[in-house]
Amino acid sequence: MKEEIARIMKLVQDGKLSPEDAAELIDAMKEGVGETAQASVTETGEPKKPGAGIKGLADAIENLGKNISESENWQEVGRQIKESVKKGLEHAKVQIEHVKKTGIFGVAETKDVELPLPSIDGKVLKVEGYSGDIKIVGGQPEGKVAAHAMVRASDPEEAKKKLEEYMLIIEESDHSVIIKQPSISGLSVDLEVAVAGKAAVEARTHSGDISILDTGMSARVSSHSGDIHIKNVEGMVEINLNSGDVTLEDSKSSDINIENRTGDVTLRRTEGNVNVRTASGDVRLMSCQGGTVALESVTGDINVDVAAPISKAFNVRTVNGDAVVSIPEGCDCRVSLSTLNGDTSCDIELEDKVKSGEHVTGRLGSGTGNLDVSAVNGDISLKQRTVIYTESAQD
């Protein structure tokens, strides 16, 4: 519609159309687009099938552009648009009743499948291509996979036919056990996986929440949307998420790498090197320790509670947000705190302390490591850790 409005404004500038007629025509166009999207009907007056409204709206805009280019009777064009909208509204109730019966997303059929899971000993458990929630739990008496599959379609017959095609796919190779989802339109599967003993886990999915609990080895997750919760793992942790919250708990890892575009990131009682980046969301480290740390947030607050003295590189960056860092006694590092637009506060006595505006530098111990906390728009605060982190204080 932007193109048509631009044409109308050009005709006004050329003196071929009065401003009053232009305003009336644009109002009619907006009214027609907004209401036609909710009341789509066929030429015979019957309600269109779900999804037909979008195509009908595109066709209407295309025809409207043709009318605009060929007609100079702008009042007549506007009247025709309004009459078309009125005709659609007469059948809106019928369309609504149709949606109530079939649902906005069609009808759904479900199916439950359960299969034994082959031994994971020395192999990697992979889950690929899923839309739906996934829960993987280690340390179980026996391995098994339970799937709750749901297929949506425009009518019950089509949904049943698609569901008959679904099967739980488990493939085993020398190095991995893979659980796959078949390519069926409208399919969503909730998966529960019980693992006997420990397992390294890799999950690459499209949407849905993911839980990886007590698997005791490395975890790698890549997903477009959904919350991710990982607890009690060891080894490398890698998470790449487009939208959703990430929580990692009670884990000892050589490296923790988390990239989350939209959503919060929370680490509780973790050990190891940490690298966290988020474009929009808060970052929280609670009772964490060990290794080098790099935390970055474009828009969001960063709150850090460090359980062990800092003696390596510890960097906190936020563009739009506050940063609060609580550290224990015994840290051995140089300190730099700075913000361009905000306040800087330091409750800890620093050696060789220098304050210039909102930039504070100093030293703790001999200055072996480096603690650097900065913001562009936000307050910076460095505090002494005085209480032990508990579950009641986790939020």
Side-chain angles (χ1 to χ4, degrees):
M1 190 171 70
K2 290 181 180 179
E3 182 180 350
E4 281 70 33
I5 292 177
R7 288 186 193 177
I8 294 172
M9 300 310 296
K10 181 65 167 60
L11 291 172
V12 173
Q13 292 175 1
D14 294 341
K16 297 179 180 180
L17 180 65
S18 71
E20 292 78 11
D21 290 342
E24 182 178 351
L25 180 57
I26 291 173
D27 287 342
M29 289 171 60
K30 291 181 178 179
E31 181 182 355
V33 170
E35 296 183 350
T36 303
Q38 298 180 14
S40 299
V41 295
T42 64
E43 294 180 356
T44 61
E46 295 297 324
K48 291 184 178 181
K49 293 182 178 180
I54 297 175
K55 183 179 185 300
L57 179 57
D59 293 341
I61 293 175
E62 182 179 350
N63 292 332
L64 176 61
K66 183 178 179 181
N67 289 335
I68 289 173
S69 63
E70 295 178 354
S71 175
E72 293 184 1
N73 188 343
W74 307 106
Q75 290 90 345
E76 179 62 21
V77 174
R79 184 188 64 78
Q80 291 178 2
I81 295 172
K82 290 179 179 179
E83 286 185 357
S84 297
V85 172
K86 184 177 180 181
K87 182 180 178 181
L89 290 175
E90 291 174 356
H91 299 277
K93 292 183 179 180
V94 178
Q95 180 74 355
I96 292 171
E97 289 302 319
H98 178 74
V99 170
K100 285 181 179 179
K101 292 179 180 179
T102 63
I104 296 176
F105 303 105
V107 297
E109 293 287 339
T110 62
K111 179 180 181 180
D112 293 321
V113 180
E114 184 174 311
L115 293 175
L117 182 69
S119 173
I120 306 293
D121 187 30
K123 299 179 180 180
V124 178
L125 173 64
K126 296 183 178 182
V127 181
E128 298 180 351
Y130 269 77
S131 292
D133 297 341
I134 297 172
K135 184 177 182 179
I136 302 173
V137 183
Q140 301 301 298
E142 59 179 357
K144 62 180 179 180
V145 182
H148 178 73
M150 180 175 65
V151 173
R152 290 192 179 275
S154 58
D155 57 71
E157 291 73 18
E158 183 182 0
K160 290 179 180 179
K161 183 178 179 181
K162 288 184 176 182
L163 197 61
E164 289 175 356
E165 300 174 4
Y166 171 75
M167 63 177 63
L168 182 57
I169 303 172
I170 301 177
E171 298 179 353
E172 184 178 9
S173 68
D174 293 338
H175 306 289
S176 64
V177 174
I178 307 174
I179 305 173
K180 293 183 177 180
Q181 177 169 285
S183 179
I184 299 174
S185 62
L187 173 65
S188 176
V189 180
D190 292 338
L191 203 64
E192 292 193 10
V193 183
V195 178
K198 298 181 178 181
V201 177
E202 294 183 10
R204 292 194 299 270
T205 70
H206 182 265
S207 61
D209 297 341
I210 299 174
S211 296
I212 301 174
L213 311 174
D214 304 321
T215 51
M217 297 180 69
S218 64
R220 298 182 178 182
V221 178
S222 177
S223 180
H224 183 268
S225 63
D227 296 339
I228 296 174
H229 180 207
I230 299 176
K231 183 175 182 179
N232 193 19
V233 301
E234 295 184 11
M236 182 176 292
V237 174
E238 292 184 2
I239 299 173
N240 192 307
L241 180 62
N242 188 69
S243 176
D245 296 336
V246 175
T247 303
L248 175 65
E249 300 179 293
D250 302 313
S251 298
K252 297 181 180 180
S253 304
S254 56
D255 291 286
I256 299 170
N257 295 289
I258 300 173
E259 183 165 346
N260 190 13
R261 290 162 185 81
T262 304
D264 298 338
V265 176
T266 302
L267 276 62
R268 300 189 184 105
R269 300 174 300 277
T270 64
E271 296 182 23
N273 300 322
V274 176
N275 186 1
V276 175
R277 298 177 61 189
T278 178
S280 178
D282 298 335
V283 178
R284 296 182 295 178
L285 269 65
M286 302 299 172
S287 194
C288 298
Q289 59 181 305
T292 62
V293 174
L295 310 177
E296 296 183 19
S297 176
V298 177
T299 302
D301 298 333
I302 298 180
N303 196 312
V304 179
D305 170 60
V306 184
I310 296 174
S311 59
K312 296 183 179 180
F314 201 112
N315 298 302
V316 177
R317 302 271 190 275
T318 178
V319 177
N320 296 293
D322 300 332
V324 178
V325 179
S326 300
I327 60 176
E329 295 182 354
C331 290
D332 183 7
C333 59
R334 297 181 301 276
V335 176
S336 175
L337 313 173
S338 64
T339 179
L340 293 179
N341 298 290
D343 298 325
T344 300
S345 65
C346 180
D347 298 342
I348 299 175
E349 190 68 31
L350 300 177
E351 298 289 337
D352 303 327
K353 182 178 179 180
V354 176
K355 190 176 190 301
S356 176
E358 297 305 324
H359 185 197
V360 176
T361 60
R363 174 172 53 84
L364 292 170
S366 60
T368 302
N370 183 61
L371 172 60
D372 191 339
V373 186
S374 65
V376 176
N377 298 298
D379 298 335
I380 299 296
S381 179
L382 180 63
K383 299 180 178 182
Q384 190 76 54
R385 187 177 193 251
T386 57
V387 296
I388 302 300
Y389 171 79
T390 63
E391 283 297 324
S392 61
Q394 68 183 20
D395 293 322

